[in-house]
């Protein structure tokens, strides 16, 4: 019997198209029986944010970060051709015509495939994000936990 293959992805970007690519790769790897971890850090944490406003006590700076960052995967902008917010709408219309899955659907599929979705606790502290503001059924860890997974990885990506 062959050894379990592993894929790890550091998701640093908060751009809709890059997050989409990360989740397509992750879901594809899981479909090929890879054990998959996506480590969300900095702007990549926005993919894990809940859509609704969650009342949490925050400092002034944490409130400012919260207001400036998109709330939820569907609210993220594109890396190119954002066009003051029209870009994401255009790409979503094209995706709909081609029956492509949205980022929220890809995240849901990842959870169904038991892909390990990890939020970086250090970045959460820096940006003032609490567990209550992030999706349910995800994990929380620091860089050491990611490195332990990556060390065993056959494929390690930074997106």
């Amino acid at each position: 019997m062959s050894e379990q293959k592993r894929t790890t992805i550091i998701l640093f970007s908060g751009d809709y198209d890059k997050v989409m690519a990360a989740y397509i790769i992750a879901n594809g790897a899981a479909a090929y029986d890879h054990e998959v971890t996506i480590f969300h850090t900095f702007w990549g944490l926005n993919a894990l944010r809940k859509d609704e406003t969650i009342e949490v006590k925050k400092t002034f700076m944490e409130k400012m970060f919260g207001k400036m960052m998109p709330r939820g995967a569907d609210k993220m902008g594109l890396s190119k051709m954002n066009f003051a917010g029209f870009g994401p709408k255009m790409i979503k219309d094209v995706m709909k015509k081609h029956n492509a899955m949205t980022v929220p659907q890809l995240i849901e599929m990842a959870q169904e495939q038991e892909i390990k979705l990890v939020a970086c606790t250090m970045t959460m502290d820096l940006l003032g994000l609490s567990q209550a503001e992030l999706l349910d059924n995800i994990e929380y860890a620091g860089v050491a936990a990611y490195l332990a997974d990556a060390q065993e990885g056959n494929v390690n990506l930074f997106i």
Side-chain angles (χ1 to χ4, degrees), residues 8 45 85:
T8 66
L45 280 170

Side-chain angles (χ1 to χ4, degrees), residues 9-27 38 40-48 70 72-74 76-79 101-104 106-107 110 117 159:
I9 299 171
I10 295 175
L11 185 54
F12 176 85
S13 175
D15 296 325
Y16 190 90
D17 47 322
K18 292 179 182 178
V19 171
M20 177 182 234
Y23 273 90
I24 288 170
I25 293 166
N27 281 304
I38 305 177
H40 301 74
T41 190
F42 284 91
W43 316 121
L45 280 170
N46 290 322
L48 298 178
D74 226 23
M76 295 182 293
L78 296 176
S79 61
M101 295 176 84
T102 64
V103 171
L106 289 166
I107 292 171
L117 305 182
I159 300 175

Side-chain angles (χ1 to χ4, degrees), residues 68-141:
M68 290 187 288
M69 294 186 307
R71 188 173 284 115
D74 226 23
K75 306 257 183 356
M76 295 182 293
L78 296 176
S79 61
K80 304 270 188 271
M81 300 186 294
N82 201 41
F83 302 129
F86 289 109
K89 182 176 179 2
M90 291 187 320
I91 195 78
K92 287 173 191 172
D93 286 346
V94 169
M95 287 167 55
K96 193 173 188 177
K97 285 180 185 146
H98 290 275
N99 295 315
M101 295 176 84
T102 64
V103 171
Q105 290 169 330
L106 289 166
I107 292 171
E108 189 177 321
M109 177 190 268
Q111 289 181 309
E112 288 168 3
Q113 294 198 82
E114 296 180 4
I115 290 173
K116 188 161 48 165
L117 305 182
V118 183
C120 175
T121 51
M122 184 200 74
T123 306
M124 287 175 64
D125 290 344
L126 287 175
L127 299 178
L129 291 171
S130 70
Q131 290 186 12
E133 295 174 276
L134 301 182
L135 299 176
D136 297 330
N137 304 314
I138 64 171
E139 297 181 29
Y140 300 89

Side-chain angles (χ1 to χ4, degrees), residues 24-80:
I24 288 170
I25 293 166
N27 281 304
Y32 279 99
D33 294 325
H34 284 222
E35 190 177 296
V36 183
T37 299
I38 305 177
F39 184 77
H40 301 74
T41 190
F42 284 91
W43 316 121
L45 280 170
N46 290 322
L48 298 178
R49 285 186 81 191
K50 291 178 180 170
D51 295 334
E52 68 273 8
T53 304
I54 307 292
E55 290 301 320
V56 220
K57 189 172 167 55
K58 294 186 178 220
T59 66
F60 174 75
M61 196 57 88
E62 290 170 344
K63 285 179 187 171
M64 293 310 296
F65 271 125
K67 288 191 185 318
M68 290 187 288
M69 294 186 307
R71 188 173 284 115
D74 226 23
K75 306 257 183 356
M76 295 182 293
L78 296 176
S79 61
K80 304 270 188 271

